[in-house]
Amino acid sequence: MSVKDAIEAKLTQGLAPQGLVIVDESASHAGHAGAPAGGESHFRVEVVADAFSGLSRIERQRMVYDLLAEELAGPVHALALKTMAPEES
Amino acid sequence: MSTETTETIQSEIDANDVVLFMKGSPVFPQCGFSATVVQVLSQSGVRFKGIDVLADDALREGIKAFSNWPTVPQLYVKGEFVGGCDIVREMFENGELGELFTAKGVETEA
């Protein structure tokens, strides 16, 4: 399974999102310090989920970080996040 | 994480109103996300202390455990964790960051 597929599977299972966009931005970071060869290291993720309603930005991002702990400890070098409740999207 | 690392981090956020744990220095950021936050703080007109986590492996891992936050940069204002690049940029764009500085009594030159 690619890293992108793993991110999609875990966020889908963990958050039942109404909207989910995952963009692999590794290409634009290729070659810089710490960027592994082969890509799948830099991602931008936008999630719309009921689960975020009433939570602070920090709490929302922690939910995502917890679900993706394995990826963040491994191949994922950078993760840009936009977390929205349905009424904010 | 060692007690020493915890104490180092705590003393920095106690001693400085605005602290940015980052990769590289404010003058030479080593990461695009850190550079973004430096730019936001500069545009906000606040004085801040930048701490380069790349200079110290214990600090690089320690700050993640300290804040329960897996990524760098991390911004602290008056001892309170504000967030990373995404959060700081969003708060800057909608004016919340300026309000936070005002509410916390942080001087801005802007």
Side-chain angles (χ1 to χ4, degrees):
Chain A
M1 192 190 291
S2 71
V3 176
K4 186 180 176 185
D5 289 345
I7 292 173
E8 183 172 359
K10 288 180 180 179
L11 294 182
T12 300
Q13 192 183 6
L15 295 168
Q18 278 112 321
L20 178 59
V21 178
I22 302 170
V23 182
D24 183 348
E25 297 186 326
S26 307
S28 56
H29 298 273
H32 89 57
E40 293 235 275
S41 57
H42 290 66
F43 289 89
R44 180 166 58 82
V45 174
E46 296 182 16
V47 197
V48 181
D50 276 330
F52 294 143
S53 293
L55 297 183
S56 72
R57 290 189 183 84
I58 290 175
E59 290 167 329
R60 294 173 185 194
Q61 292 208 5
R62 280 204 176 112
M63 286 178 76
V64 174
Y65 287 146
D66 285 346
L67 289 167
L68 302 180
E70 196 181 328
E71 283 69 30
L72 284 164
V76 175
H77 174 86
L79 182 65
L81 277 179
K82 192 168 176 69
T83 51
M84 291 165 285
E87 64 271 20
E88 299 161 353
S89 65
Chain B
M1 176 171 47
S2 73
T3 312
E4 191 189 336
T5 304
T6 307
E7 283 171 0
T8 302
I9 295 169
Q10 190 66 52
S11 67
E12 291 288 4
I13 65 177
D14 286 343
N16 301 283
D17 280 357
V18 183
V19 183
L20 179 64
F21 295 90
M22 62 180 291
K23 294 181 176 175
S25 69
V27 178
F28 292 109
Q30 298 288 318
C31 151
F33 299 102
S34 291
T36 297
V37 178
V38 167
Q39 199 174 15
V40 162
L41 294 176
S42 301
Q43 287 184 24
S44 300
V46 295
R47 293 182 58 168
F48 67 97
K49 179 165 184 184
I51 297 176
D52 181 6
V53 304
L54 297 179
D56 181 344
D57 276 344
L59 186 61
R60 184 176 185 175
E61 290 312 309
I63 189 62
K64 297 176 184 176
F66 183 90
S67 307
N68 183 25
W69 196 259
T71 56
V72 173
Q74 298 185 9
L75 180 67
Y76 277 82
V77 176
K78 293 268 185 181
E80 183 191 324
F81 178 55
V82 176
C85 177
D86 304 311
I87 290 176
V88 172
R89 180 167 47 190
E90 194 179 321
M91 290 178 72
F92 176 67
E93 286 168 356
N94 70 16
E96 278 180 63
L97 190 64
E99 291 166 15
L100 176 75
F101 289 136
T102 305
K104 296 269 189 186
V106 176
E107 279 185 42
T108 57
E109 293 161 11

